[in-house]
Amino acid sequence: MDSRTATVNRDTLETQISVSINLDGNGKTNFSTGIPFLEHMLDQIARHGMIDLDINAKGDLHIDAHHTVEDLGITLGKAVTDALGDRKGIYRYGHAYVPLDEALSRVVIDFSGRPGLVYDVEFPRARIGDFDVDLFREFFQGFVNHANISLHIDNLKGLNAHHVAETIFKAFGRALRFSLERDPRMEGIVPSTKGCL
């Protein structure tokens, strides 16, 4: 079975980021980003997606976290693309509903080869600790643009901003896992009537 791993580096005047990924991992993580709450969310992706992630990021956090969060999404999306290769033999589609106490979110993914994000999330407050919740959309937009996927994220219920964020990232991890799984009936076949994604 081919190894689905990749390492991607992004080096700009604003950020220096390295992402190593194993799509067939056990959920192991190693993070150094300078943004603790984002690391908590990245851990949800890895654990619930059964993806090994090693991420090191240095960014202009003295300004704010915007560039670092967005560029992490970009780099992670590129790493998934590189690790996945020609997309043959995958289920392609994945979805998940995840609750956490009063919060409930739904994430639906299509590894279509076309970037598109529908993000219907209204947080009950603007910050979780020091983290600006507006940056989650930037993270997912960066990911979508470089993983070339269609991604729908809907928060259906939630009063606690931490719970809302956690349900989104857990559902994203679960949906990733299901869409990236190898389909034994589609081995060597691109899951599209076009013959390419």
Side-chain angles (χ1 to χ4, degrees), residues 75-190:
T75 312
L76 181 58
K78 183 75 169 84
V80 168
T81 294
D82 288 0
L84 191 54
D86 60 15
R87 304 186 183 206
K88 288 181 180 177
I90 62 169
Y91 278 100
R92 176 177 166 176
Y93 302 99
H95 70 277
Y97 286 80
V98 169
L100 175 56
D101 297 340
E102 87 299 342
L104 175 66
S105 292
R106 174 183 60 217
V107 173
V108 183
I109 293 174
D110 175 10
F111 270 81
S112 61
R114 298 180 307 281
L117 174 65
V118 177
Y119 184 84
D120 190 4
V121 179
E122 291 188 25
F123 281 93
R125 63 180 192 268
R127 302 188 83 76
I128 302 172
D130 293 331
F131 190 86
D132 177 357
V133 297
D134 284 348
L135 299 182
F136 287 134
R137 182 185 183 95
E138 302 305 318
F139 171 85
F140 286 115
Q141 189 67 67
F143 183 90
V144 160
N145 289 347
H146 292 267
N148 289 311
I149 65 169
S150 296
L151 175 63
H152 288 248
I153 299 174
D154 297 285
N155 173 242
L156 305 175
K157 297 178 181 180
L159 301 173
N160 180 296
H162 188 133
H163 292 174
V164 169
E166 201 160 320
T167 59
I168 289 167
F169 277 83
K170 285 177 176 176
F172 179 65
R174 294 287 289 177
L176 267 180
R177 179 179 175 184
F178 294 130
S179 57
L180 293 172
E181 283 287 320
R182 300 177 200 256
D183 181 350
R185 296 178 63 196
M186 291 288 287
E187 186 176 354
I189 301 170
V190 175

